[in-house]
Each structure stands twice: as structure tokens, then as C-alpha cells.
Amino acid sequence: KPDLAVPVSGTLKLRGPTTDLSLQAWLQTEACNAVVDGTISRTRGTSINTRTDGMQLSRLLTKFPKATAGGSLRIDAAPDDSPPRLHAVVQPLLYDWLAVPGFELDGVLTDDGLRIDSLNAQSRGSRIEGRGHVHSDGSVDLDAQAHFAEVSRDQNLHRLVPDARGTLDADLHVQSVSAEHANLTLNGRLVLTNASLGLLSAKRLE
């Protein structure tokens, strides 16, 4: 389970019978301020929405680096024993050295962390889709497909290969050992078309 590092304070309002409650909350922590609303129903289950302009992940989860994430999170739990589902909308953020574009995520909370059923991210000239797992220790195991219309316009690729030009398509398996640093292991297939690197050029590279 996540190692939460901060206490929570704030105001909570409940309305309705105990079998069908609605709630609103305004929460403060060292990590962020958040607005929460939702319902708790014996027959329909629980649905909770949380919104924040900026959460300092390292203050909330001890194994995460210094990164601030804003966005919204909805968790839906059915009245039976099925695991909770979540939908997240996350604004762009800087994760260690890695510039992460804004993305939407659908997944399921499991005993070992988060199962990602779909992840979709778009930024200027790029598109990323993925699915996989984020384990409770913060490590990542993800299958991803990506398209970059021009690699020189992507902040991360430009930092890694500053003189490269071309269109990149990738089908990758991405793994990280922990959440403390963005040390990623990538395996898969890369296709670079209309490529150039300094004086070198090629129509297609794989």
C-alpha cells in the first residue's frame, strides 16, 4: 500500500440518510489543498471526486521525487467486493528530468498498486498511449505506443539527442525499478523516418 507521509486536516460536510450520503470536503495537507465531493450509497456504491491545482508528490508519498502534479481524480467503488476503479486527469509535470505531458488514465486499484487499463497523453506534435501497472513500491511496468511528428520539438527527445530530426514511432515496454528517480529501461521497436543527425540523413531507420 502507498506510504503516505502527511496528516490531513480540513472540513467535511455530510448530507442525507446513512444509506445514501452525499459529501463535500475541503482538505489541507503539506502536499496540497484539495476539494472533494461524492456520494456513499448502500445500493449504488461509492463515488469520490478530488481536485487539486498542485500536489507535491514527495510530501505525500515518501518514495516519489520532488514533482508537483495538478488535476482531478475520481474513484468509483461498487457495493460488492470488486476492486475500485479510477479515472485521473493530470496536468503536465516535471518528473525528475522527465517532462511528462498532460494525460488521462483509467485503471483499477489492486492489492499491489494500480492496474492501468488505458493511458492517453498528447502534447505538441506527439501522442502516447499505454497500459500496464504501477506497483505499490512505485515501480512501473508499462506497454506504450508513441508517435512524435518531429523529434526536435519534443523536450525529452531534444535533451537526449539535440541534433536529431525526423518523425518517430515507438512500440515499447517500459520499466522502472522505483519511483525515486526516472531511471527507465526501454525495450521494443523504434522507427525514425525522414531522419537527419548532423551531416547524416536517412529515409528510414529501425
Side-chain angles (χ1 to χ4, degrees):
K1 292 180 172 60
D3 186 8
L4 297 178
V6 295
V8 178
S9 62
T11 301
L12 172 64
K13 292 184 178 181
L14 298 173
R15 293 182 180 178
T18 56
T19 56
D20 195 5
L21 286 170
S22 62
L23 67 87
Q24 285 185 302
W26 297 264
L27 305 179
Q28 297 86 40
T29 74
E30 293 180 0
C32 69
N33 295 330
V35 177
V36 181
D37 61 77
T39 57
I40 303 173
S41 170
R42 179 179 297 174
T43 57
R44 292 180 288 110
T46 300
S47 182
I48 303 295
N49 297 280
T50 304
R51 300 179 301 280
T52 179
D53 290 332
M55 176 184 294
Q56 298 180 56
L57 297 178
S58 62
R59 289 182 176 268
L60 181 69
L61 299 159
T62 55
K63 293 184 179 181
F64 273 70
K66 292 182 178 180
T68 300
S72 63
L73 172 67
R74 188 185 77 243
I75 299 178
D76 297 313
D80 56 24
D81 293 331
S82 57
R85 300 193 62 85
L86 64 82
H87 175 75
V89 179
V90 180
Q91 299 168 4
L93 63 100
L94 188 64
Y95 175 74
D96 199 2
W97 61 268
L98 188 66
V100 179
F103 64 89
E104 292 194 31
L105 179 151
D106 287 286
V108 175
L109 294 172
T110 68
D111 291 338
D112 186 41
L114 171 64
R115 187 187 80 212
I116 300 173
D117 293 332
S118 68
L119 183 152
N120 293 280
Q122 286 190 321
S123 60
R124 185 180 63 176
S126 67
R127 182 181 68 255
I128 302 172
E129 300 176 352
R131 60 188 302 162
H133 288 83
V134 179
H135 299 287
S136 55
D137 61 0
S139 60
V140 174
D141 194 344
L142 186 69
D143 291 311
Q145 296 77 44
H147 172 78
F148 300 89
E150 174 50 64
V151 297
S152 64
R153 294 201 296 264
D154 181 80
Q155 183 176 345
N156 299 310
L157 295 175
H158 182 68
R159 182 184 292 111
L160 293 171
V161 193
D163 296 327
R165 301 289 186 274
T167 298
L168 178 66
D169 288 284
D171 190 351
L172 299 172
H173 184 68
V174 182
Q175 289 181 301
S176 72
V177 175
S178 75
E180 296 184 62
H181 301 286
N183 295 326
L184 304 177
T185 300
L186 307 177
N187 292 288
R189 182 170 180 262
L190 300 175
V191 178
L192 187 63
T193 55
N194 299 318
S196 66
L197 180 62
L199 297 177
L200 303 176
S201 63
K203 189 68 175 176
R204 181 183 177 92
L205 294 173
E206 294 190 44

